[in-house]
Amino acid sequence: MSELAVHDLHAGYGGAQVLHGVSLTVAEGEICAILGPNGAGKTTLLRALSGMVKGRGSVKLDGAELLGRPPDALARLGVAHVPEGRGTFMPLTVEENLRLGAYVRRSGVEDDLERIYTYFPALKPRLKQAAGSLSGGEQQMLALGRALMLRPRLLLLDEPSLGLAPLITRELFHIVRTINEQERTTVVVVEQNAHLALGVAQQAHVLETGRIVLSGTAADIRADEQVAQSYLGYRV
Ligand SMILES: Nc1ncnc2c1ncn2[C@@H]1O[C@H](COP(=O)(O)OP(=O)(O)OP(=O)(O)O)[C@@H](O)[C@H]1O
Ligand SMILES: [Mg+2]
């Protein structure tokens, strides 16, 4: 549960600039949705927040500057990133993947494992199974479980619904909401499914070609059909 303040963030790959001055704040314990078309820079934004790409500007978590620190230092500060494509280690077992999520901590790991099984009961009978043999939905749950093992203050989720059936996706978003409510974890979620994301988020931002073109409460953005059609290209 921490406040995130991003100010004038620029980031990209080599010479190719992708983010052109992104500013946003996410209040402590809130869920913020980042929407926008393919290639807008949503993934790049999360990568810049978790130290996977270099950024310029300022990214503060409870006042502490995150930019310029390596990903493991950010993990120690409580930044957990579930990347696009999940980032689980396929040859390792479910349990090994979960334990890896707690690599920056020594104490409380057993209790946290139990907590993860409460959120994701489907994982418990599969602890010794290779992550690569899980279904898509189970893999996404494992990826989220692994991120939670960090006891994150800030949870970054990139397209959690990707490739999942609608029912599983809704279940997953329900769990994200529960985690957010019970643990007051601040969440930034990138999602193509605007309807779902706006259903769990308090605030939302629409990113287009590396710039925020629209910000508001999730309820306002949902309620304004014209906005939805012109910025999101479809009804929410
Ligand atoms: N590793 C990389 N090297 C060079 N360019 C990249 C790299 N990753 C992404 N890009 C470019 O950065 C731009 C933004 O990509 P990004 O993945 O952030 O978009 P996105 O909003 O997440 O899109 P999508 O909805 O398709 O996931 C794109 O033009 C993409 O080609
Ligand atoms: Mg992406």
Side-chain angles (χ1 to χ4, degrees), residues 4-152:
L4 174 70
V6 177
H7 181 69
D8 199 26
L9 177 63
H10 296 254
Y13 306 90
Q17 180 127 339
V18 173
L19 300 181
H20 307 277
V22 169
S23 299
L24 59 88
T25 57
V26 187
E28 177 172 299
E30 272 197 353
I31 300 181
C32 166
I34 306 290
L35 310 172
N38 294 124
K42 305 181 299 295
T43 292
T44 305
L45 172 60
L46 293 194
R47 285 182 183 148
L49 299 183
S50 69
M52 288 162 66
V53 301
K54 285 208 175 82
R56 205 157 44 73
S58 170
V59 176
K60 288 187 173 166
L61 188 61
D62 279 343
E65 183 59 63
L66 301 186
L67 280 189
R69 299 181 197 243
D72 67 320
L74 295 184
R76 271 171 233 283
L77 287 174
V79 180
H81 185 181
V82 181
E84 228 175 355
R86 295 159 198 157
T88 44
F89 296 100
M90 298 299 179
L92 300 186
T93 67
V94 168
E95 186 178 348
E96 286 164 343
N97 267 283
L98 289 174
R99 286 184 185 278
L100 268 179
Y103 76 107
V104 296
R105 299 194 293 112
R106 288 216 178 78
S107 62
V109 173
E110 303 308 317
D111 286 349
D112 282 357
L113 278 172
E114 285 306 318
R115 196 169 53 103
I116 301 301
Y117 305 148
T118 314
Y119 285 128
F120 307 107
L123 293 181
K124 193 155 190 184
R126 304 182 200 287
L127 287 183
K128 304 298 173 197
Q129 199 171 319
S133 67
L134 297 178
S135 74
E138 290 163 354
Q139 278 184 32
Q140 190 57 276
M141 288 176 187
L142 175 58
L144 191 51
R146 195 175 63 135
L148 291 180
M149 287 298 288
L150 190 70
R151 284 198 201 155

